[in-house]
Amino acid sequence: MSKDETKLEFDAGIRKAYDAMGPTQDARERVRVRLVEEQRTNAQANASHPHRKAMIILPLAAGIAAIAVVLSVGALSKSDATKAELQPNAVVQKNEEKQPSTSGTVSLEVAAEEDAAMDAAEAANVRYAEPPYQAVTLDNGKTYEVGALASIDPASDSLETAWALDKDGNAVVECTVAQGRYVRFADDGAWYELVPSS
Amino acid sequence: MVAICYSECMDDLCNIEDVFERHFSMVYRLSYSYLGSAADAEDAAQSVFMKLVRKPRAFKSQEHEKAWLIVCTSNHCKDVLKSAHRTRVYALPERDHTLFSTEDSSSDTMEAVLRLPERLKDCVYLHYYEGYKTAEIGRLLGIPASTVRNRLSDARALLRKDLGGATA
């Protein structure tokens, strides 16, 4: 069986599995009936108690306001994190306390074996570079013996994930790429601008 | 534009029914893929649509409506799975083995799909059953397309392993 045929069979098998998870007509009707009942109940309640919403909302509003104050600190930090995700340029200035290791290899959590990196690169439709690996200089001036960054194309601004191998070619790490040249490794929240060495 | 505005107006009630007709199967299937049983899927689907009944929403388009339902369903199912009650009572979730005959190899595939980790389930469903491309899934779920590709790759690897390479 060819690779294409195997893939078609695989895909069809999954679709068939989901087909079998579909609802029965009885289940559909049961839910439909409950929804209609709920709609009618709500309509009747609103009609007979015109001030019901206000009675519920006013006490709730006070509670929510109190909770909002408590949560505001957390929300603020979260919004900062979201901003950092979306605007890598804004956080190129890194937290010096979270610099990656300078041991000569990238000290990062090993995510998978090399085959997994190749599969991932294939799935992402990007080039997977063979050894020897390039050194990559991060914008903090330190050069790491990072393996080929499989999916980094400086001309592209669409790739967002890359896989890096260490200099021994056996540690695969995942990093996030923005605008084709900013990279953030899994164990470091800061963004680095990549400057591949010649 | 599909506006869902709950009121005493019969037309608005019909709009909710339209949404139900369009998406009930999707919501149910996605719930099933998370929760692993018909009874739980039915409860989850009901809860998702109840949210629309109790808190009306206006959607910009049918795609927006569908995306909201997908995310709402995923979040609801994740909440159910996290609940202490379920953890205690449903340590071993029931499966509807009767959906397939015992000779049907699709039963193995279904079990393998149900065993996928939570984080992969919506991507797999949307790609393999709904036919969305990775970029579209990314937009629906609010995650990068590359993350979707990673998750699909992980899912394929797990399914290959689970099914012994027979069909992958």
Side-chain angles (χ1 to χ4, degrees):
Chain A
M1 187 180 289
S2 71
K3 190 176 178 181
D4 284 347
E5 287 171 335
T6 304
K7 183 180 182 307
L8 286 175
E9 185 179 327
F10 178 69
D11 293 358
I14 295 177
R15 277 195 298 275
K16 191 174 179 185
Y18 280 115
D19 273 335
M21 294 182 207
T24 62
Q25 191 59 34
D26 284 349
R28 179 186 289 270
E29 285 307 311
R30 278 194 298 272
V31 176
R32 187 204 310 276
V33 166
R34 288 178 210 142
L35 287 177
V36 170
E37 286 173 358
E38 179 73 11
Q39 285 179 309
R40 286 179 182 156
T41 304
N42 278 5
Q44 286 168 359
N46 287 337
S48 58
H49 300 288
H51 302 299
R52 184 171 176 240
K53 282 185 180 175
M55 290 165 65
I56 295 172
I57 289 171
L58 286 175
L60 276 179
I64 290 169
I67 292 169
V69 171
V70 174
L71 293 180
S72 60
V73 174
L76 184 62
S77 60
K78 185 176 180 182
S79 68
D80 284 347
T82 304
K83 187 177 179 183
E85 292 277 355
L86 296 175
Q87 298 179 349
N89 282 328
V91 289
V92 168
Q93 298 300 320
K94 297 165 293 300
N95 179 349
E96 293 300 324
E97 294 178 357
K98 294 184 69 178
Q99 296 296 327
S101 162
T102 58
S103 64
T105 60
V106 179
S107 175
L108 298 165
E109 182 182 354
V110 175
E113 299 300 329
E114 187 170 357
D115 282 348
M118 296 183 74
D119 284 346
E122 183 186 4
N125 195 27
V126 296
R127 179 179 60 85
Y128 181 82
E130 295 293 331
Y133 306 122
Q134 294 176 301
V136 175
T137 303
L138 305 185
D139 73 347
N140 60 8
K142 295 170 185 172
T143 299
Y144 296 91
E145 295 294 330
V146 181
L149 290 161
S151 64
I152 289 180
D153 174 4
S156 168
D157 61 358
S158 62
L159 300 173
E160 292 166 298
T161 304
W163 293 267
L165 301 180
D166 69 8
K167 67 176 180 180
D168 299 317
N170 56 13
V172 182
V173 297
E174 183 173 320
C175 41
T176 305
V177 180
Q179 298 176 9
R181 60 201 176 106
Y182 295 101
V183 62
R184 185 177 66 181
F185 293 102
D187 66 346
D188 188 330
W191 288 89
Y192 297 88
E193 183 176 5
L194 286 170
V195 185
S197 59
S198 57
Chain B
M1 176 174 172
V2 177
I4 298 178
C5 304
Y6 166 74
S7 76
E8 295 169 26
C9 171
M10 202 57 199
D11 287 344
D12 291 336
L13 292 174
C14 289
N15 279 343
I16 291 177
E17 290 186 5
D18 288 346
V19 176
F20 178 83
E21 286 302 320
R22 276 195 291 272
H23 299 301
F24 177 72
S25 292
M26 178 196 74
V27 170
Y28 184 99
R29 273 196 183 86
L30 188 55
S31 300
Y32 196 118
S33 74
Y34 271 97
L35 304 174
S37 82
D40 287 343
E42 187 175 324
D43 286 347
Q46 178 180 312
S47 297
V48 169
F49 286 102
M50 284 291 187
K51 289 179 200 288
L52 277 182
V53 172
R54 291 169 183 160
K55 188 177 179 184
R57 299 183 65 90
F59 296 108
K60 296 172 188 168
S61 62
Q62 288 196 12
E63 204 59 24
H64 179 214
E65 170 188 290
K66 188 171 184 177
W68 185 88
L69 285 166
I70 289 168
V71 173
C72 185
T73 304
S74 293
N75 290 341
H76 178 80
C77 290
K78 287 170 187 170
D79 286 345
V80 170
L81 290 171
K82 277 190 297 189
S83 73
H85 174 72
R86 183 182 172 91
T87 304
R88 190 172 65 247
V89 177
Y90 298 100
L92 293 172
E94 59 175 288
R95 301 285 191 223
D96 289 340
H97 294 285
T98 54
L99 289 168
F100 291 105
S101 66
T102 51
E103 293 80 15
D104 196 334
S105 64
S106 295
S107 178
D108 294 336
T109 308
M110 183 176 175
E111 290 292 323
V113 169
L114 291 172
R115 277 194 292 269
L116 287 172
E118 268 179 51
R119 68 185 179 87
L120 307 179
K121 285 179 186 281
D122 41 12
C123 287
V124 171
Y125 171 76
L126 291 171
H127 182 70
Y128 283 101
Y129 196 76
E130 296 285 336
Y132 283 107
K133 298 184 185 306
T134 53
E136 294 170 326
I137 297 171
R139 281 197 296 275
L140 280 172
L141 302 179
I143 56 178
S146 55
T147 301
V148 176
R149 288 190 287 270
N150 288 347
R151 290 181 185 179
L152 290 174
S153 177
D154 289 349
R156 277 192 291 271
L158 286 171
L159 290 170
R160 274 199 295 264
K161 185 179 176 186
D162 216 358
L163 296 171
T167 58

